[in-house]
Amino acid sequence: GIQVEQSPPDLILQEGANSTLRCNFSDSVNNLQWFHQNPWGQLINLFYIPSGTKQNGRLSATTVATERYSLLYISSSQTTDSGVYFCAVEKGNSGYALNFGKGTSLLVTP
Amino acid sequence: EAGVAQSPRYKIIEKRQSVAFWCNPISGHATLYWYQQILGQGPKLLIQFQNNGVVDDSQLPKDRFSAERLKGVDSTLKIQPAKLEDSAVYLCASSVGTGGAGTGELFFGEGSRLTVL
């Protein structure tokens, strides 16, 4: 199946700092989503972004499908941003479910 | 709009016992997924339904796990008999459909946390 690699695996930031999380994938994709898993385990949709750039408040994401990577930007981080960020992809035109990466664990300290 | 509903939220059982989890997807979503998430790992797909038909169950341990989606709406995932390594969070998700044009965007429930002693 399609391989999904996320980096860095762990990240510690001080409140107010900016960060970039990366997701590399091994094949063309039909669907790419970024999720935030909060400390209670809930997976929250951040972006549906198979290509292009989207922004939502302090978060933005860019997917360059031809080069098989996606980036998630977090600006002015807050302690509530802590948790695990997952990238998940669906192989192009497969009709199958998302494959998840191993995630980036983010801790934002006061 | 109501989200994906799951129950129970927590379950503790002893090995070799059985357990069942229930999921009600977002109204109008034809595709339903069960994922297993072991602590420290990303979610792994167990089974995908399109309406009441199975699309992919290649990673479902069929000797002990079963799932059904009668009438193409809610779904039940059963484990019998449970093993220690089944301790995990079982996540249900749904989407409008699959493929492009946004129909494959997944929405997750809060999950059911299983502990097998």
Side-chain angles (χ1 to χ4, degrees):
Chain A
I2 190 167
Q3 303 302 310
V4 183
E5 294 184 1
Q6 292 187 243
S7 61
D10 301 282
L11 187 59
I12 300 175
L13 298 175
Q14 196 156 23
E15 204 167 21
N18 303 328
S19 63
T20 301
L21 281 57
R22 187 177 180 100
C23 172
N24 292 333
F25 42 94
S26 60
D27 208 335
S28 60
V29 297
N30 202 39
N31 179 3
L32 187 149
Q33 288 184 245
W34 283 96
F35 295 91
H36 175 219
Q37 190 163 44
N38 65 24
W40 296 271
Q42 173 79 47
L43 275 167
I44 299 167
N45 289 37
L46 296 177
F47 295 102
Y48 171 79
I49 187 166
S51 64
T53 298
K54 290 185 177 180
Q55 181 158 7
N56 184 1
R58 297 181 295 103
L59 302 181
S60 63
T62 295
T63 297
V64 183
T66 54
E67 297 187 22
R68 299 182 182 172
Y69 73 88
S70 183
L71 302 174
L72 177 69
Y73 305 96
I74 304 174
S75 64
S76 304
S77 58
Q78 300 176 358
T79 56
T80 52
D81 295 331
S82 297
V84 183
Y85 290 80
F86 287 103
C87 169
V89 303
E90 174 199 342
K91 186 177 177 181
N93 297 317
S94 69
Y96 290 112
L98 295 178
N99 286 323
F100 280 74
K102 293 182 178 180
T104 292
S105 179
L106 173 65
L107 175 63
V108 181
T109 61
Chain B
E1 178 182 283
V4 177
Q6 290 190 245
S7 67
R9 290 292 313 281
Y10 304 93
K11 189 75 176 179
I12 301 173
I13 62 173
E14 297 195 349
K15 60 183 179 183
R16 291 188 288 273
Q17 287 186 325
S18 63
V19 62
F21 302 111
W22 173 83
C23 172
N24 193 333
I26 293 172
S27 177
H29 281 197
T31 309
L32 185 148
Y33 314 78
W34 284 101
Y35 281 82
Q36 179 193 57
Q37 187 177 21
I38 293 172
L39 187 65
Q41 300 181 17
K44 182 186 82 172
L45 179 72
L46 292 176
I47 190 167
Q48 176 186 352
F49 293 95
Q50 179 76 14
N51 296 309
N52 59 351
V54 175
V55 175
D56 182 4
D57 64 356
S58 58
Q59 298 189 90
L60 187 73
K62 298 180 185 63
D63 57 334
R64 299 182 300 104
F65 286 64
S66 64
E68 60 182 12
R69 192 186 183 196
L70 301 177
K71 302 180 183 178
V73 181
D74 55 355
S75 176
T76 303
L77 176 70
K78 296 180 181 178
I79 307 173
Q80 182 180 13
K83 292 185 174 182
L84 296 177
E85 59 261 36
D86 298 332
S87 294
V89 177
Y90 292 86
L91 295 160
C92 181
S94 69
S95 63
V96 171
T98 59
T103 59
E105 185 174 4
L106 263 66
F107 296 88
F108 281 85
E110 293 181 310
S112 294
R113 184 178 299 275
L114 173 66
T115 301
V116 182
L117 303 176

